[in-house]
């Protein structure tokens, strides 16, 4: 056996891909999940009983300490957070509790119950916000532009603090936007891919969007979890920027998705002020040189390929649910 791993946020996009990767590598995998009437296990359902799910909550310190003490993980991956930026303006305090203070509770639980474990914190490119330089690397100053990003900055620096104060092996991965067919439907790439598929199938007739000029460095989540794992395999703990080094606009995202289904987005895309951010992040672009040189990792999938993959998955899913073919949009 490779080791024992504990993942918070195992039911999310990154958590599900990471669980698959670790199982392939021979790990015993445990996941912390909140008891919730709305919790969904769709992304990890195919893993069956190969992962052990334990109830815990980032708001409850004791619920974190006990499972960590019981299973004694070799590696802890903290992926859980309130991760949708627009929600962070509606629920800023709750976002801070989960996305900022939740990191402290996890770190302290590890310090108390399994101090030899290696700890990974999911940081975010949103921390750069109103960027000071382009591209952004590990030394670029942060200027967060949303309550979510502010909370992520706290989580990042408290991880550094515990590393320096308690000699924990604790690292942060500053991941730029990473997408997949498992992305939540509220995120813009998945919103675009699913809407393009549904319009193609005759199940929808428009796509409302906010700012289409924002630039992001988008990559494939399934590849990014490999970088996450590699960070915990290094001799010394250090933080890494993970991205493709190429950025695209939201408008490009729309173009790639609608091109794949043979439709003109101008006929369907509508600007909706409800989706505009109070404080916009105009451009995020990774400089992943350190990851390439020290981890031997680099992105393999282009953004166009990624959007095609996502649209195909949404076509298949919506065809299965609706019984419609993509060609003519008629019932089978």
């Amino acid at each position: 056996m490779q080791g024992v791993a504990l993942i918070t946020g195992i039911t999310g996009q990154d958590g599900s891909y990471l669980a698959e990767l670790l199982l392939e590598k021979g790990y015993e995998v445990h996941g912390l999940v909140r008891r919730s009437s709305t919790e969904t296990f769709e992304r990890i359902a195919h893993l069956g009983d190969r992962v052990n799910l334990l109830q815990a909550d980032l708001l409850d310190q004791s619920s974190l300490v006990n499972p960590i003490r019981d299973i004694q993980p070799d590696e802890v991956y903290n992926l859980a957070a309130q991760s949708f930026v627009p929600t962070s303006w509606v629920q800023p305090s709750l976002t801070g509790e989960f996305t900022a203070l939740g990191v402290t509770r996890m770190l302290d639980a590890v310090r108390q119950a399994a101090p030899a474990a290696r700890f990974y914190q999911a940081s975010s490119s949103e921390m750069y916000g109103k960027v000071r330089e382009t591209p952004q690397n590990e030394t670029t100053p942060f200027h967060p532009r949303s309550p979510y990003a502010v909370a992520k900055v706290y989580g990042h620096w408290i991880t550094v603090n515990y590393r320096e104060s308690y000699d924990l092996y604790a690292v942060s991965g500053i991941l730029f936007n990473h997408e997949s067919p498992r992305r939540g439907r509220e995120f813009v790439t998945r919103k675009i891919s699913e809407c393009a598929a549904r319009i193609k199938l005759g199940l929808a007739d428009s796509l409302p969007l906010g700012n289409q000029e924002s630039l992001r460095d988008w990559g494939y989540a399934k590849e990014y979890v490999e970088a996450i794992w590699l960070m915990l395999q290094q001799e010394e703990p250090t933080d890494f920027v993970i991205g493709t080094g190429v950025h695209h606009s939201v408008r490009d995202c729309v173009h790639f998705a609608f091109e794949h289904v043979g439709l003109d987005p101008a006929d369907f895309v509508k600007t909706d002020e409800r989706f505009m951010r109070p404080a916009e992040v105009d451009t995020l672009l990774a400089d992943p040189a350190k990851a390439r040189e020290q981890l031997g990792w680099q992105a393999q999938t282009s953004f166009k390929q990624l959007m095609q993959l996502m649209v195909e998955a949404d076509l298949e899913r919506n065809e299965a649910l609706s019984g419609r073919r993509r060609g003519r949009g008629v019932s089978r």
Side-chain angles (χ1 to χ4, degrees):
M1 186 178 71
Q2 178 76 21
V4 178
L6 176 66
I7 304 171
T8 74
I10 193 170
T11 60
Q13 169 188 257
D14 294 4
S16 64
Y17 281 123
L18 180 60
E20 287 176 350
L21 177 71
L22 294 176
L23 288 169
E24 289 170 6
K25 292 182 179 295
Y27 281 77
E28 176 186 314
V29 177
H30 301 262
L32 296 187
V33 295
R34 286 192 301 143
R35 186 182 183 279
S36 169
S37 60
T38 59
E39 187 63 71
T40 174
F41 299 93
E42 176 186 356
R43 296 183 183 94
I44 58 170
H46 64 290
L47 299 179
D49 58 1
R50 298 175 66 200
V51 297
N52 180 34
L53 300 181
L54 305 165
Q55 283 190 7
D57 197 311
L58 290 183
L59 304 186
D60 183 352
Q61 180 78 22
S62 63
S63 76
L64 303 174
V65 172
N66 293 334
I68 291 173
R69 180 177 288 127
D70 290 344
I71 67 176
Q72 287 297 299
D74 300 295
E75 296 171 7
V76 176
Y77 297 88
N78 186 42
L79 310 183
Q82 191 300 100
S83 58
F84 188 47
V85 173
T87 296
S88 74
W89 275 290
V90 179
Q91 297 181 310
S93 297
L94 186 64
T95 297
E97 286 288 347
F98 278 113
T99 308
L101 292 178
V103 184
T104 309
R105 296 185 187 103
M106 278 299 299
L107 281 163
D108 217 49
V110 169
R111 181 183 68 84
Q112 292 177 46
R118 296 189 168 197
F119 180 89
Y120 172 84
Q121 165 59 17
S123 287
S124 167
S125 60
E126 287 283 332
M127 299 187 304
Y128 294 120
K130 190 174 182 180
V131 297
R132 309 290 182 86
E133 62 186 16
T134 298
Q136 296 88 51
N137 61 31
E138 291 80 4
T139 62
T140 301
F142 301 136
H143 187 145
R145 298 268 282 174
S146 67
Y148 165 78
V150 171
K152 278 293 186 183
V153 170
Y154 176 97
H156 180 88
W157 283 116
I158 199 67
T159 301
V160 173
N161 183 259
Y162 268 65
R163 179 169 72 215
E164 295 177 349
S165 300
Y166 300 111
D167 198 31
L168 292 181
Y169 191 111
V171 304
S172 288
I174 305 174
L175 270 59
F176 281 63
N177 295 65
H178 46 290
E179 318 298 321
S180 76
R182 299 181 189 176
R183 193 52 143 157
R185 289 173 172 84
E186 69 272 22
F187 291 87
V188 68
T189 50
R190 180 68 193 287
K191 178 180 177 180
I192 291 168
S193 69
E194 182 162 60
C195 203
R198 289 179 61 81
I199 290 172
K200 179 65 176 178
L201 295 171
L203 299 171
D205 57 13
S206 66
L207 169 58
L209 289 175
N211 181 13
Q212 293 185 58
E213 308 312 319
S214 297
L215 295 166
R216 295 291 186 273
D217 183 330
W218 275 299
Y220 187 15
K222 188 174 183 179
E223 296 172 357
Y224 282 40
V225 298
E226 178 80 25
I228 289 173
W229 175 77
L230 285 168
M231 287 182 219
L232 293 194
Q233 313 313 309
Q234 305 307 299
E235 186 173 343
E236 297 294 330
T238 185
D239 305 327
F240 288 91
V241 161
I242 303 298
T244 70
V246 178
H247 62 188
H248 292 277
S249 66
V250 174
R251 194 176 300 280
D252 291 335
C253 180
V254 171
H255 172 74
F256 293 149
F258 279 79
E259 178 186 55
H260 189 65
V261 294
L263 297 174
D264 184 350
D267 295 333
F268 305 100
V269 178
K270 314 295 181 185
T271 299
D272 191 326
E273 295 295 325
R274 292 177 301 165
F275 299 110
M276 297 292 188
R277 293 186 179 188
E280 185 57 79
V281 175
D282 296 316
T283 181
L284 293 173
L285 177 63
D287 174 5
K290 182 180 176 182
R292 185 171 59 249
E293 294 162 6
Q294 295 188 29
L295 300 179
W297 180 92
Q298 61 182 12
Q300 302 296 319
T301 304
S302 74
F303 185 48
K304 183 175 183 178
Q305 291 170 328
L306 175 58
M307 286 308 300
Q308 291 172 342
L309 184 155
M310 291 174 65
V311 171
E312 276 299 312
D314 280 321
L315 281 167
E316 291 177 11
R317 183 180 295 107
N318 280 280
E319 281 179 333
L321 290 173
S322 68
R324 296 194 179 194
R325 296 191 184 96
R326 66 186 71 179
R328 297 185 299 276
V330 296
S331 299
R332 292 183 186 278

